[in-house]
Structures are given as C-alpha cells and as structure tokens.
Amino acid sequence: MRRPAVLQVLPPVSAGGPPGSAPMADQPQSDTAPKWWSRPAAPEAEAEAGSAAADGPAQPDSVPAADAGPLAAEAAPAPRYDPWGEQPLQVADRGKAAGGGHVVRVRHALALGLGIALLAGGVGGWLGVLAERQSSTRLELPQAAVESKNRAPESVAGIAATALPGVVTLHVRGSTGSGTGTGFVLDGQGHILTNNHVVSDAKDITVTFSTGESVTAELVGRDSGYDLAVVKVEGVRGLHPLSLGNSENVKVGDPVVAIGAPFDLSNTVTAGIISATGRPITAGGDKGDGSDISYVDALQTDAPINPGNSGGPLLDAKARVIGINSAIRGADKGDSDKQSGSIGLGFAIPVNQGKRVAEELIRTGRATHPVIGVTLDMEYTGDGARVGTKGEGGKPAVTPDGPGARAGIQGGDVITKVDGVRVHGGDELVIKIRAHRPGDPLTLTVLRDGRERTLELVLGSANGS
C-alpha cells in the first residue's frame, strides 16, 4: 500500500536588508516626496517614545505632539510592509479563518484517503486469503458432467441391468459343511434352477435376491447325471424370471455375460465369448462309484467363472439364458505353479438340456435319461466307444428288445460316430446321447470286423438319479 506523503509547514524565510547593511535611520522627508515611500519610525524609536510618554512629560528635545500631528496620524494604522526590515510582516495572519479552513480540509482529505486505502487493503487481503484457502483446501480438477446412466440393451451393462433382478445367491448348509452357489428364477411361482452339486447335501437353503432380501427355499428335485436341481421359494413378490434362449443358435465367437457369486461375491458380472460348442466334459466323481458323475455336452467360454458361479446363467447379447455355468478347468491338484481360480476355461450346460430337465424336475421331481440299451466297455483304450461282451451281473451287454438290439447293435461293436460326429471314447458317447431327449432318432456309425456300418435307432428312456 502506498503511504501518503508527509507534509511539513516550512518556517517563514527571514528577509533582511542588503548584506552588511544596518537598519536605515529615519530621515527628514521633503513635502514633494510621495507618502507611500515614507518610512515609519524605527521600532526602537517608537518604543522609546511610548516609554517616555508613559513615564512623564516629554523631554525638551522631543517634538511636540501638536507639531507631530500629521506623522502621528499616519503612524496610527497598522504598520506597512518594510522590505528592509529585519522581520517582514506576515500576511497569513490577515486571512487566518480562510487559511485555517483550508488546512482542516486538507487534513480531512488525508484522513479520508488513508481510511479508503486501509479499507481497500483490508478487503484485498481478505480476498487474497480466501482465494488462497480455496486454492489449497478446495482444489477442483476438471471432471465430466453427470450423464445418463442408461445403456444400450445389448451392451454388457444393459444385459446386466436386465438380468440381475432374476439372479439369486444360494447359501447352503449341509451335514458336511456349508457353501455358496448361484441360481436364476424360472417362473413367477418361485422355481429357481441351479446345479445339483450346489444343493446335493443341503439341509438348509437360503436364497438371497439382488435386492438383498433373503428367504428360505425348499428342494423340488435334482439329477446328478445332468448336474441340475430346482428349488422353490414361497411368498416372494415381484419375481423377475429370466428369458430362455436356444443353445442351438449359439456360434463360436458370440459375446456372452456370466453372472454369479464367485467366492461369495454376489451379483458379480463378467464377460467373454463362446470359445467352443459341443465340448464333452464330465464332472464330479467324488463318491468313487460313478453315481455323482455328470455328463455334459458343454458350451465353453472364456468369461471368468470361479467357485460360487455354479448354477448361474450364461447370457447372450439379448440377455437370454443360453447356458447354466457348471464347471471350470482349473489347476491340477498338487500343482502349485498353476492358479487355482479361473484360467479362461469355463463350461456351461446348454439351456436346451437345462430346460427339459427343469421341466421334468418341477413336474415329477425326477429327470429321465435317454439310453440306447447297451453296456459299454469303459476300459477300452482305442478310438471310439466299444460295446461290452457281458453286462452287469452276467446279463447280456445288449439289452434284449432294447433300442440298440432293435437297431442291430452287437457285443464288441465299436461306435465311432453319432449323427456324423466322431466320438473318441465311452464318456463322449454318453454325453452325445444325453444331449438328446428320449424318443429322438439317432444315426450311429459302428465298426464291426473292420467294416463300418450305419445304424438307425430311437432313443429309449430311463429314470435318472
């Protein structure tokens, strides 16, 4: 802030006569000289005259008062300016009122200016502090404005928004422990489809919806051969059944979305593509007797799937279920160098198979399996599936009057193709057969005595487990 200049009143400059000169003595004045040039008596003389008049009669050598009348009359007014006097008269005293007011106005102006300067400085300082505080404590970086959260229906976000209300998380407590799985709503009556291995040992089943609401569920039916099960909830309003697609329409490279609860992280959404179709896989077998082995002609996907995703939906670009996530190819047991979670090899039960089994479980509590009525030699190591020479308990390997016997299959035949698709072992043959319904026609290619034969048969039916 600029400080106002300090004003000083300079003392009057003394004005004397010429250097080295002394005050001039009074001289007789001629009558012809102008009166304005006349000089008054010296101050010392006036003082002496006044003193003499006060002390007594005038001295003889003094001028009589009557004779000095003209001079006395001229001396009566205020003394005139004497340029040769030792201390000239000051004219400032004659205008004292006007001069004093000017000084007061200058002081008021100085005080007002100083106040304005102080006020401006204070306001500027306050604004500076405020700006500094805002810049240091409320730093704001450039940011996009709030936009609409609506997404295209075919985007991953759009698919998730459509399907999430119909996906549930299952918490199961059994005799050997507890676990977590996933399921999805089939209809408005509260039926939910999931995997058999999620609820196979269940004593208590709790279903949690995407809204956070949890209810108890009851088991309707299950089938270990297909690894599918149906549970049901009661008294739940506002259910959102998911739309079912058609797994026959799926092509390799199609985009897919998986929803589930991996490691109990409910409502997890992942995305990928269909990596392969008709991939024969078997899962289970923990019991050792083969009763818990499931045979699946699976859809393979690279969408990340982990433990807890089991039973969740695999969705197409229109948010329709095309598969039920069931298994993953993880690290080999005892191999610490391989990761234990998803390695991009996930498998889902085709929805066409899941739909048929779910309908049977809801209707009867059990599912039927298509069969050809033969016993396979599971120890055969050659290419294809070989029919055994003896069945269980000494029975014939080919069931009399069964579908295979009617089609002309004999013991020892090697089945190499199903509907023109090659099979490389007994498991693959079972998987290809279970991908169909009982009553469906099949064309089998068999190798007998080194020659291939084509046989036509109609699948039979057997009750599942």
Side-chain angles (χ1 to χ4, degrees):
M1 180 177 66
R2 184 177 180 180
R3 300 181 59 186
V6 178
L7 302 180
Q8 285 185 328
V9 178
L10 297 177
V13 179
S14 297
S21 63
M24 297 177 62
D26 291 343
Q27 299 291 338
Q29 305 296 325
S30 64
D31 293 337
T32 60
K35 291 185 178 182
W36 56 266
W37 190 81
S38 297
R39 177 175 178 166
E44 291 82 356
E46 291 179 0
E48 290 177 1
S51 176
D55 292 340
Q59 297 300 323
D61 55 350
S62 63
V63 179
D67 297 338
L71 293 175
E74 291 181 13
R80 294 181 180 180
Y81 172 70
D82 183 4
W84 290 279
E86 293 183 356
Q87 293 184 350
L89 298 177
Q90 304 299 312
V91 298
D93 290 342
R94 294 185 179 181
K96 184 175 183 180
H102 176 69
V103 173
V104 171
R105 285 195 298 272
V106 170
R107 290 179 179 175
H108 286 177
L110 290 176
L112 180 60
L114 181 60
I116 293 174
L118 292 175
L119 179 60
V123 172
W126 178 77
L127 292 176
V129 171
L130 181 61
E132 182 180 0
R133 288 182 178 178
Q134 289 181 343
S135 63
S136 60
T137 62
R138 296 186 61 183
L139 176 65
E140 293 189 11
L141 299 175
Q143 184 181 24
V146 177
E147 299 175 350
S148 172
K149 294 185 179 180
N150 295 329
R151 296 293 185 268
E154 67 275 9
S155 67
V156 174
I159 296 169
T162 300
L164 274 172
V167 180
V168 301
T169 301
L170 284 77
H171 294 95
V172 179
R173 185 173 61 85
S175 59
T176 59
S178 59
T180 301
T182 307
F184 60 91
V185 180
L186 289 172
D187 54 31
Q189 286 72 45
H191 292 106
I192 294 170
L193 184 62
T194 186
N195 281 144
N196 172 70
H197 71 262
V198 172
V199 298
S200 60
D201 189 41
K203 300 298 181 182
D204 296 309
I205 304 173
T206 301
V207 171
T208 302
F209 293 86
S210 61
T211 58
E213 179 184 5
S214 295
V215 296
T216 301
E218 297 293 334
L219 180 65
V220 174
R222 63 187 185 87
D223 187 277
S224 61
Y226 290 113
D227 193 23
L228 292 171
V230 173
V231 300
K232 186 178 181 180
V233 295
E234 298 284 354
V236 179
R237 297 182 178 179
L239 293 173
H240 292 80
L242 297 189
S243 299
L244 303 182
N246 192 324
S247 50
E248 294 294 331
N249 299 330
V250 176
K251 298 297 181 182
V252 174
D254 284 348
V256 290
V257 172
I259 302 179
F263 300 102
D264 205 14
L265 298 173
S266 60
N267 304 321
T268 296
V269 178
T270 56
I273 62 169
I274 293 293
S275 304
T277 60
R279 186 75 77 189
I281 65 167
T282 58
D286 295 334
K287 292 184 177 180
D289 58 2
S291 62
D292 62 337
I293 296 178
S294 59
Y295 300 87
V296 181
D297 199 26
L299 301 174
Q300 181 181 331
T301 178
D302 67 348
I305 298 173
N306 288 284
N309 275 103
S310 295
L314 186 67
L315 306 158
D316 65 9
K318 295 183 179 180
R320 300 175 301 193
V321 180
I322 58 172
I324 301 94
N325 299 318
S326 180
I328 62 171
R329 178 66 170 87
D332 294 334
K333 293 182 179 179
D335 191 346
S336 59
D337 293 334
K338 294 182 179 179
Q339 66 185 76
S340 59
S342 173
I343 58 174
L345 296 174
F347 303 94
I349 302 168
V351 72
N352 289 13
Q353 182 173 317
K355 176 180 179 295
R356 179 183 71 82
V357 174
E359 290 170 346
E360 292 185 344
L361 292 176
I362 293 172
R363 186 170 59 250
T364 67
R366 301 178 68 88
T368 59
H369 296 175
V371 295
I372 62 174
V374 301
T375 300
L376 298 177
D377 180 6
M378 304 303 290
E379 302 296 329
Y380 179 68
T381 58
D383 191 45
R386 187 172 70 177
V387 180
T389 56
K390 290 183 179 180
E392 295 181 2
K395 295 179 180 180
V398 179
T399 305
D401 199 30
R406 290 192 294 269
I409 296 177
Q410 299 178 6
D413 286 349
V414 177
I415 302 173
T416 59
K417 295 179 181 179
V418 176
D419 286 339
V421 178
R422 181 169 290 279
V423 294
H424 301 282
D427 289 344
E428 286 192 28
L429 178 61
V430 174
I431 291 169
K432 294 300 182 183
I433 290 172
R434 289 194 178 180
H436 294 79
R437 295 173 178 268
D440 287 349
L442 283 183
T443 300
L444 300 180
T445 302
V446 300
L447 183 64
R448 182 188 302 165
D449 299 331
R451 293 177 59 187
E452 283 190 345
R453 299 171 184 267
T454 300
L455 306 175
E456 303 290 338
L457 63 76
V458 177
L459 292 173
S461 177
N463 290 328
S465 60

